[in-house]
Amino acid sequence: MVTSDFLLLSSPRGSYLSKVDTPALRHLVQFWLGTTASYCLANLANPILQKPLGSESVPSASTPADASGLHGRFLHITDLHPDRFYSYGSSTDSDDACHWGQGSAGLYGAEKTDCDSPMTLVNATFQWIAENLRDSVDFVVWTGDSARHDNDELIPRTEAEVIGLNELLVTKFVEVFGKEDNINDTDPTNDFTIPIVPNFGNNDILPHNIFTRGPNRWTKDYIHVWRNFIPEEQRHSFERGGWFFVEVIPNHLAVFSLNTLYFFNSNPAADGCAKKSEPGYEQFEWLRIQLQFLRQRGMKAILMGHVPPARTDSKHSWDETCWQKYTLWLQQYRDVIVGGLYGHMNIDHFMLQDTEQLDMTVIAGEVRPEKQLRESSEYTIQSSAEYLTELRAGWSQIPEKAKALPGEYREGTWPSFNLGEEKKRRKSSHEHFLEKIGGQWGERYSATLVGASVVPNYYPTMRVFEYNTTGLRQASRNIDTGGRRGIMASASLGESPRHSESKHSKKHRFVKPKPPSKSQPPGPAYSPQPLSLLGYTQLFANLTKINAAFASPRTSPTAKFAYELEYNTRNDSIYGLVDLTMRNYIDLAARIGKYRPKEDDLTFDLMGDVEDDLHMLKKNKHKKKKKHHKKRKVINQVWFTFVNRAFVGAKDEDSIRDQFGMADD
């Protein structure tokens, strides 16, 4: 038992003594031991396979499952970046990376810096999930970057380290969602209580960003690391290119893990998605076939990946040909796709894809767009500020929602003239608005949601989505899809088009995906229905308070690391999202984009100092005091809130006002 108030902390260059109070010592030792045990378990664990979500999910008393056996919630977690070399009390300077020297690196992480996550933060995060979320979510979306950054030239990353850190996180998921009574169970599909879907991040490979055509050493390594999560029939497609899908709710919902590194503009080993010889092209063909089969089966899909399709003047995260195809696929399969979830950028935000920016000559490979300069794969506060400002500028061009004039025709009402004259009437302003946004459901656009990171570039975060379970049947543990499962498997295992093409075959002809049937109702991303996203709860850990509490000599023995509520879209008066369908996001983006917002969306900020008139009063006792008023500036509170939440509330509000220029005289 450790009884000293001093803890010997090891750093890569040696050891030094750091004064640590007893409660902090107790927590540090506890999590260090937990990490050591996790590491050993990760290397000794036998291969286990994940079972699809079924009726055996055990609900907690506080969040009971509904009649379908589902809780209607799932967890999105991203960018954990665990770092075994993190040293408590080390320097947070970029050159030291919380590995060297002495400084302010906290017990649970160095918030608002470029340092990676200490093991204490990783262990505390999974412990919190186990205590608060384990029995209330139906599946987990895990969007990559599960190894530290290569930001310390004195400690270069190795392949063994990158793989070992991913194995560590797999083990943490086993600890939280693995079945406790599964030690002697020989059923390989019965090891997890819920499905967990992993994804490649640009730092999960070496060198970072560079992912070559598969099969390669990384697809071969990770098919073993993620053997728990990749269905047997998906392993061939995963080994070919790192993409796969999981039926998280059998016969109802599949989550597609896309390998966005083949789309990534910072990957020099890939060249877009237009050429038939490129893995990005092959991945989109695979996705097209699978979404078509889901359509035939009456199923829905969530798309997930690491690098999001950011596309502004300063940020082109994807090759343009890949962005064009992705936007087209979202449009053509809008009856199937529920939404897209991504990470990588560390900031909480969303983006819209606009089908009016589609160029079929680019998609078909007839025209090669101008190559964008390869940008840094990491995002600083300054670059993020520029990017968010450009998003807003784009949203300022969204058609403005129109109010009908007296007597004007509105959707769902009869016009105030004879029906025989209907063809002669002019379109109302509301009808013009609907035409501009793609009809009643806003089908001109699609949305991509980007989650902030666990690594505390700002504050650690995670997100719990709620979705509509109305009408879903009890999910069966033993899926019986008949021949359809076989068809999907054979399609995903089929040879790449480049292998089946004869030397004398005709020139490649682009196949445009089929759109929904005109008789089909709008999809779950556009109209509220089963599996539509209802909202999400954004959780964060305020490391400034947490680290200070554990560093204080008066720390309570009951002090505890915890995530807390940042906001919930379902009761948020600022965003006002009734649900996460497209019309609500179009409206929110338009409100953010207003430089002169409507009255409901603005606040007044009192600026300037009140002049002290005491001296003047003494000098001019008989003169009337001159009144001084503070200058009032208008602030778009929706834009301010969007920016504040992007940085997880970690950025000073005054600096937000100054940096983002959100105050207009």
Side-chain angles (χ1 to χ4, degrees):
M1 179 179 294
V2 180
T3 57
S4 172
D5 284 349
F6 290 88
L7 178 65
L8 185 65
L9 293 174
S10 297
S11 76
R13 277 182 173 164
S15 301
Y16 59 89
L17 287 175
S18 177
K19 180 72 176 176
V20 182
D21 61 276
T22 301
L25 172 64
R26 180 163 51 253
H27 281 268
L28 189 58
V29 172
Q30 173 188 349
F31 284 114
W32 181 84
L33 291 173
T35 301
T36 304
S38 299
Y39 177 74
C40 295
L41 183 58
N43 288 280
L44 296 175
N46 292 322
I48 50 179
L49 292 176
Q50 171 179 319
K51 78 172 186 64
L53 177 67
S55 59
E56 295 183 7
S57 297
V58 181
S60 67
S62 59
T63 54
D66 62 15
S68 68
L70 301 169
H71 299 90
R73 298 179 183 87
F74 66 88
L75 171 65
H76 179 203
I77 189 167
T78 191
D79 293 79
L80 284 99
H81 289 290
D83 183 0
R84 295 186 185 280
F85 297 104
Y86 182 100
S87 291
Y88 175 38
S90 61
S91 169
T92 61
D93 291 346
S94 58
D95 291 338
D96 294 321
C98 290
H99 295 163
W100 314 101
Q102 296 191 33
S104 60
L107 178 63
Y108 287 99
E111 72 277 15
K112 309 177 194 178
T113 73
D114 292 331
C115 293
D116 285 324
S117 301
M119 293 305 171
T120 47
L121 174 58
V122 173
N123 286 324
T125 294
F126 278 92
Q127 181 177 327
W128 192 90
I129 293 172
E131 294 173 353
N132 296 274
L133 298 178
R134 173 169 53 196
D135 298 323
S136 62
V137 293
D138 299 322
F139 56 93
V140 177
V141 171
W142 171 24
T143 49
D145 262 12
S146 304
R148 71 177 175 97
H149 291 93
D150 203 0
N151 58 1
D152 189 341
E153 61 183 16
L154 296 176
I155 318 174
R157 300 193 312 165
T158 65
E159 181 175 346
E161 181 193 4
V162 171
I163 293 297
L165 290 171
N166 271 272
E167 288 176 330
L168 167 67
L169 292 188
V170 169
T171 299
K172 301 308 293 184
F173 279 111
V174 171
E175 292 173 359
V176 176
F177 296 106
K179 287 193 172 181
E180 295 179 0
D181 59 350
N182 201 50
I183 297 175
N184 297 316
D185 187 356
T186 58
D187 183 356
T189 65
N190 194 34
D191 293 309
F192 282 85
T193 58
I194 61 172
I196 299 162
V197 190
N199 188 258
F200 275 117
N202 62 304
N203 286 287
D204 294 324
I205 55 177
L206 198 71
H208 69 283
N209 299 342
I210 302 176
F211 201 97
T212 59
R213 176 191 303 284
N216 58 40
R217 60 174 173 160
W218 298 108
T219 60
K220 292 176 181 177
D221 281 344
Y222 278 95
I223 203 168
H224 175 74
V225 175
W226 293 338
R227 61 194 179 277
N228 311 39
F229 311 127
I230 302 172
E232 183 68 36
E233 65 274 13
Q234 295 292 314
R235 292 187 174 189
H236 183 81
S237 63
F238 178 84
E239 191 167 355
R240 287 187 61 81
W243 53 75
F244 69 102
F245 71 88
V246 177
E247 287 192 30
V248 293
I249 306 177
N251 301 314
H252 293 289
L253 178 65
V255 173
F256 282 75
S257 181
L258 303 178
N259 186 355
T260 56
L261 302 187
Y262 285 138
F263 311 152
F264 196 21
N265 198 35
S266 295
N267 178 12
D271 190 22
C273 301
K275 296 178 182 177
K276 202 171 181 181
S277 59
E278 285 298 315
Y281 177 98
E282 183 179 347
Q283 183 171 190
F284 271 110
E285 284 301 287
W286 169 83
L287 181 61
R288 177 181 64 82
I289 292 170
Q290 303 309 325
L291 292 176
Q292 186 63 37
F293 278 121
L294 289 193
R295 176 182 282 165
Q296 293 172 8
R297 294 178 61 186
M299 290 181 62
K300 307 302 178 187
I302 291 175
L303 307 184
M304 61 169 276
H306 181 65
V307 181
R311 184 176 181 264
T312 67
D313 289 342
S314 67
K315 289 284 183 294
H316 282 76
S317 294
W318 287 14
D319 184 274
E320 178 66 11
T321 61
C322 302
W323 185 92
Q324 290 278 339
K325 274 196 173 179
Y326 182 73
T327 302
L328 178 63
W329 265 232
L330 291 176
Q331 173 70 8
Q332 299 301 88
Y333 293 107
R334 61 189 182 276
D335 56 323
V336 176
I337 296 172
V338 175
L341 309 178
Y342 296 83
H344 179 63
M345 297 180 73
N346 300 328
I347 54 175
D348 166 11
H349 69 295
F350 68 95
M351 56 188 73
L352 302 181
Q353 289 78 45
D354 184 354
T355 57
E356 288 204 353
Q357 296 176 6
L358 287 175
D359 185 337
M360 292 305 300
T361 62
V362 171
I363 295 172
E366 298 170 5
V367 174
R368 179 65 182 174
E370 183 179 346
K371 192 69 176 177
Q372 299 293 327
L373 294 176
R374 299 198 187 279
E375 60 185 45
S376 169
S377 61
E378 310 306 332
Y379 293 91
T380 64
I381 290 180
Q382 184 59 44
S383 64
S384 296
E386 183 180 11
Y387 164 71
L388 292 175
T389 302
E390 290 172 351
L391 275 184
R392 187 193 189 194
W395 293 343
S396 69
Q397 304 303 310
I398 290 177
E400 186 171 1
K401 193 174 183 179
K403 290 184 178 180
L405 299 173
E408 247 190 5
Y409 171 75
R410 289 298 301 267
E411 180 186 345
T413 65
W414 291 104
S416 59
F417 43 77
N418 295 331
L419 291 178
E421 299 176 357
E422 184 171 356
K423 291 184 179 180
K424 299 179 182 179
R425 69 179 177 86
R426 297 178 62 183
K427 289 182 180 179
S428 70
S429 56
H430 182 68
E431 288 173 308
H432 278 295
F433 166 71
L434 292 181
E435 275 190 359
K436 290 178 181 178
I437 66 168
Q440 178 183 355
W441 311 106
E443 292 176 302
R444 166 181 166 180
Y445 297 96
S446 56
T448 292
L449 311 185
V450 183
S453 57
V454 172
V455 67
N457 290 144
Y458 307 109
Y459 287 133
T461 70
M462 66 180 79
R463 181 176 286 182
V464 179
F465 282 91
E466 295 180 62
Y467 65 96
N468 191 335
T469 61
T470 304
L472 298 182
R473 300 185 303 277
Q474 180 76 24
S476 171
R477 179 174 175 274
N478 296 313
I479 310 172
D480 180 15
T481 58
R484 291 174 298 187
R485 170 61 64 91
I487 292 173
M488 294 185 77
S490 63
S492 65
L493 299 178
E495 288 298 312
S496 165
R498 68 177 184 272
H499 292 300
S500 60
E501 187 177 12
S502 166
K503 291 183 180 179
H504 303 289
S505 61
K506 295 181 180 179
K507 185 178 178 181
H508 161 61
R509 180 175 175 272
F510 170 70
V511 178
K512 184 177 180 180
K514 296 180 180 178
S517 166
K518 292 183 178 180
S519 62
Q520 282 283 106
Y526 296 89
S527 172
Q529 59 190 266
L531 297 173
S532 290
L533 299 180
L534 300 173
Y536 61 81
T537 299
Q538 190 72 16
L539 302 163
F540 80 109
N542 189 329
L543 290 192
T544 302
K545 293 194 303 184
I546 293 171
N547 284 332
F550 282 100
S552 170
R554 294 185 295 275
T555 301
S556 167
T558 60
K560 201 171 184 180
F561 175 97
Y563 281 82
E564 57 186 286
L565 175 68
E566 184 187 2
Y567 66 97
N568 185 325
T569 61
R570 301 198 72 182
N571 56 22
D572 175 35
S573 61
I574 304 295
Y575 278 8
L577 293 170
V578 178
D579 55 36
L580 304 187
T581 52
M582 198 63 246
R583 282 290 297 271
N584 290 314
Y585 267 115
I586 293 172
D587 182 57
L588 176 58
R591 290 165 59 211
I592 292 171
K594 294 301 177 191
Y595 293 99
R596 293 288 183 178
K598 296 180 180 179
E599 186 174 350
D600 292 343
D601 287 339
L602 57 82
T603 58
F604 291 96
D605 191 30
L606 295 178
M607 309 293 290
D609 297 325
V610 177
E611 183 179 339
D612 185 354
D613 287 323
L614 181 59
H615 176 73
M616 294 299 294
L617 287 172
K618 288 181 178 179
K619 188 175 181 180
N620 304 292
K621 291 182 180 180
H622 304 292
K623 291 183 179 180
K624 188 176 180 181
K625 176 184 174 182
K626 183 180 179 181
K627 293 183 179 180
H628 294 270
H629 298 282
K630 289 185 178 182
K631 190 176 182 181
R632 304 181 81 199
K633 291 190 175 182
V634 177
I635 294 177
N636 181 338
Q637 66 171 340
V638 190
W639 167 230
F640 177 85
T641 301
F642 176 72
V643 172
N644 190 44
R645 289 174 176 175
F647 297 111
V648 201
K651 194 171 174 62
D652 179 75
E653 292 188 0
D654 289 336
S655 66
I656 290 178
R657 291 184 176 91
D658 294 340
Q659 187 171 9
F660 287 85
M662 54 182 59
D664 297 317
D665 291 343

